[in-house]
Amino acid sequence: LLALGHRGEAWSLKGNHGNALRDFEAAADIDPSFAGALLARGRERLILGDAAGAVAALTEAAKLNPAEPHVHVLRAMALLAQGRPEAAASEFATALRLDPVVAAKYLRSGCSRFDRCDYRGALIELDAAARLDPACQEAIRYRGCSLFHVGQPERARVDLDEAILRKLDDSAAHLYR
């Protein structure tokens, strides 16, 4: 069971989200009370664009471990993907109440994924960081660069223009414009 979880995380870190999802699904099927596998399954479904599947997995994970802020952040992102901003706002608030520095953790993780060229995974985490802490300039800049890499240049331009307007001393924002 733990081997499936470790292998799934390795696949995810390499940007191979399909294989990661298969391992997390197998782990959750073996032990439906394994909250970590449910959380990871929800994350991978979100990265792969399955918002409904992500919400379902993360709702189960939240029932098993309601004090885990990451469950609430990822559930909020999935709810946003479903067009449910009010429900997402409540989840973000819960995550911040549970862990006031959760935004910084998502920023670090998103930047790490970006550095490994996992732009889809980075985008989810950097978007969460920017929504949890709208003043976080680094999250906005990296989110813009990730959007560019996943083929969303118009959305990227919005973030990168904001980064430039905030007078970031960063040539990367100018390179992607």
Side-chain angles (χ1 to χ4, degrees):
L1 182 65
L2 288 176
L4 284 169
H6 290 303
R7 188 172 68 187
E9 283 301 327
W11 283 122
S12 182
L13 291 172
K14 291 178 182 177
N16 191 328
H17 302 289
N19 282 342
L21 178 59
R22 278 189 289 283
D23 283 348
F24 293 130
E25 298 237 347
D29 288 345
I30 291 169
D31 183 359
S33 68
F34 185 14
L38 292 169
L39 182 146
R41 178 170 65 180
R43 180 191 66 217
E44 297 304 317
R45 285 181 183 240
L46 181 60
I47 290 170
L48 292 169
D50 177 10
V55 168
L58 294 163
T59 298
E60 289 303 310
K63 287 177 187 173
L64 293 170
N65 193 358
E68 173 54 60
H70 301 293
V71 171
H72 298 285
V73 171
L74 292 171
R75 190 163 185 270
M77 298 304 295
L79 289 165
L80 282 172
Q82 287 186 319
R84 299 169 55 194
E86 296 83 13
S90 174
E91 291 292 325
F92 281 132
T94 299
L96 285 169
R97 182 177 45 76
L98 292 169
D99 183 358
V101 297
V102 71
K105 294 173 184 176
Y106 274 85
L107 174 63
R108 282 193 309 273
S109 181
C111 289
S112 176
R113 285 183 181 271
F114 183 90
D115 290 344
R116 290 190 312 274
C117 302
D118 176 13
Y119 302 115
R120 290 187 329 186
L123 182 56
I124 296 294
E125 298 197 11
L126 294 165
D127 194 23
R131 289 175 186 275
L132 287 161
D133 182 2
C136 182
Q137 298 175 9
E138 192 173 7
I140 292 166
R141 179 190 49 184
Y142 272 96
R143 181 178 65 187
C145 294
S146 296
L147 284 163
F148 179 82
H149 283 290
V150 299
Q152 298 182 35
E154 293 305 316
R155 286 187 58 208
R157 180 178 218 94
V158 171
D159 277 357
L160 296 173
D161 284 348
E162 183 176 342
I164 291 166
L165 287 174
R166 289 184 181 196
K167 297 182 175 146
L168 288 177
D169 182 24
D170 180 5
S171 60
H174 295 283
L175 291 174
Y176 284 96
R177 278 188 84 229

